[in-house]
Amino acid sequence: MKKIVVLFFVLSAVCYSQSEMTELTYPQKYGLLPGGIKSNAPASLDFSDETPKLENPLDIEVNYYLLSGIGIATGTAVLAVRNYYANTWWRENAREFRFANDWDYALWIDKYGHFYGTYLLAHAFSIGLEGADVRGDLAAIYGSTAALLFQLYVEYEDGYGPKWGFSPGDAVSDMLGAGYSVAQYYFPYLKNFQPRLSYWPTKELINGEKEDHNIMDDYEGQKMWLGFRMKRLLPDKLAHYWPSFLMLSVGMGVSDLDGSGGGNRDIYIAFDLDAEELPLHGNFWQVVKNTLNYLHFPMPGVRITRGGAFFAICY
């Protein structure tokens, strides 16, 4: 997925969603607001299997002024993104819409990227909706739907691109990313499995050797991770000794890509940090902590492919 786009939406949604937070009486997806918490931990850490129930949904009044502001900010961002791609990827449109099966294009890291990008974008939309007092379950559904529609719009435009086409693989990955975001709301146990990203630009991009100078296609600088909250996954006897702030992540990176399925796929295992454990409280900091957990933190790790290697900082 196009990660600059996603991060832009995240920042926009966070800024607008925090401007007029009000106190609600029902549990929220991201634990931004009080209510429905079984312990003193933030709602985002309440991983009980019981889906929150809403007794009086009609008592909740949506903040339409803030919701309108979020809509305007989102629309402006969409236009800006569309204009950016119109001057980079979509400069020369093909005459007819076409499909392109590109399963082996980048050894699947682009597909993981589409999953992650839609998942992160759903997070941005959802916290914006929650900030406007939209009911938690509706914020989860509408946020994921908006993220998916935006991603599919980009895929549609790619269908007319001279160098691309509408990728069924990308579209399926987008759907899975949106679906996983909703699933985490209805099945809180899934919050123990957190998709994450790390990125460091390649020398080719820094030296201007990449076509369009675009970090979104700088796949060899990207790693896709899945973080595990080991404290909650280990048996009780072992979990007792595992620090609550320490996670374990499994990641994938690629190198020497040729655009036709050739190259190296590397698998990593590294420690990670759970930002939810930071001693920062309040609505704003809850959003910050939750959003930070979409990134892999630089920590010691190992590469288990190509003979193996240890890294003091695996990022």
Side-chain angles (χ1 to χ4, degrees):
M1 167 52 195
K2 292 69 178 174
K3 297 173 182 61
I4 282 185
V5 177
V6 173
L7 294 177
F8 183 85
F9 273 100
V10 170
L11 294 174
S12 298
V14 168
C15 291
Y16 276 88
S17 66
Q18 293 307 307
S19 60
E20 295 184 33
M21 284 281 191
T22 56
E23 195 168 297
L24 304 186
T25 58
Y26 59 90
Q28 295 286 296
K29 178 180 179 186
Y30 299 108
L32 309 186
L33 306 172
I37 303 174
K38 297 182 179 179
S39 67
N40 293 328
S44 57
L45 291 182
D46 182 10
F47 299 153
S48 62
D49 292 328
E50 182 180 354
T51 302
K53 299 291 191 303
L54 189 67
E55 294 182 359
N56 297 305
L58 296 180
D59 291 341
I60 304 303
E61 209 172 301
V62 175
N63 187 332
Y64 289 103
Y65 292 105
L66 181 56
L67 189 63
S68 298
I70 293 170
I72 293 171
T74 301
T76 301
V78 169
L79 290 175
V81 168
R82 203 277 175 196
N83 183 65
Y84 172 77
Y85 286 124
N87 290 298
T88 54
W89 289 355
W90 305 329
R91 285 191 304 253
E92 301 173 4
N93 288 337
R95 293 183 178 180
E96 296 182 355
F97 183 87
R98 61 193 181 95
F99 290 88
N101 289 309
D102 58 350
W103 291 100
D104 294 328
Y105 163 60
L107 298 180
W108 282 72
I109 197 168
D110 60 319
K111 302 299 179 285
Y112 288 113
H114 277 269
F115 174 95
Y116 172 85
T118 311
Y119 172 71
L120 178 58
L121 190 54
H123 164 72
F125 281 122
S126 296
I127 60 176
L129 291 170
E130 283 189 11
D133 297 349
V134 174
R135 208 173 74 194
D137 56 339
L138 296 181
I141 294 172
Y142 294 162
S144 296
T145 301
L148 178 60
L149 290 175
F150 176 78
Q151 294 288 72
L152 292 179
Y153 164 71
V154 175
E155 302 302 337
Y156 170 78
E157 291 282 5
D158 281 350
Y160 289 97
K163 300 178 182 178
W164 306 275
F166 183 94
S167 169
D170 290 353
V172 169
S173 299
D174 295 334
M175 294 177 189
L176 291 175
Y180 190 67
S181 180
V182 175
Q184 281 189 313
Y185 178 84
Y186 285 100
F187 303 97
Y189 186 77
L190 292 176
K191 293 179 183 178
N192 292 314
F193 310 95
Q194 176 70 46
R196 295 185 167 208
L197 163 76
S198 62
Y199 172 72
W200 191 264
T202 60
K203 292 182 180 179
E204 290 79 8
L205 182 73
I206 294 174
N207 296 333
E209 300 172 11
K210 287 279 187 180
E211 186 176 2
D212 292 331
H213 311 289
N214 199 329
I215 70 169
M216 285 77 86
D217 286 340
D218 193 22
Y219 297 120
E220 292 167 277
Q222 304 167 10
K223 289 186 181 68
M224 297 295 165
W225 301 84
L226 182 64
F228 298 85
R229 285 188 167 92
M230 303 302 296
K231 184 76 171 179
R232 296 182 174 273
L233 295 173
L234 289 171
D236 291 342
K237 290 183 178 180
L238 294 177
H240 177 74
Y241 299 100
W242 190 278
S244 60
F245 66 85
L246 190 63
M247 298 176 65
L248 202 62
S249 289
V250 176
M252 187 191 83
V254 295
S255 60
D256 300 324
L257 296 176
D258 62 9
S260 301
N264 301 311
R265 180 189 287 115
D266 290 317
I267 305 299
Y268 300 84
I269 300 177
F271 289 115
D272 217 328
L273 298 177
D274 189 352
E276 294 283 3
E277 296 297 322
L278 291 172
L280 301 171
H281 307 289
N283 294 338
F284 172 78
W285 288 114
Q286 186 58 44
V287 173
V288 171
K289 292 190 295 184
N290 194 269
T291 303
L292 284 175
N293 270 339
Y294 285 72
L295 302 174
H296 169 68
F297 289 86
M299 294 285 286
V302 296
R303 186 185 68 217
I304 63 175
T305 51
R306 290 195 289 160
F310 170 79
F311 300 90
I313 300 295
C314 190
Y315 185 74

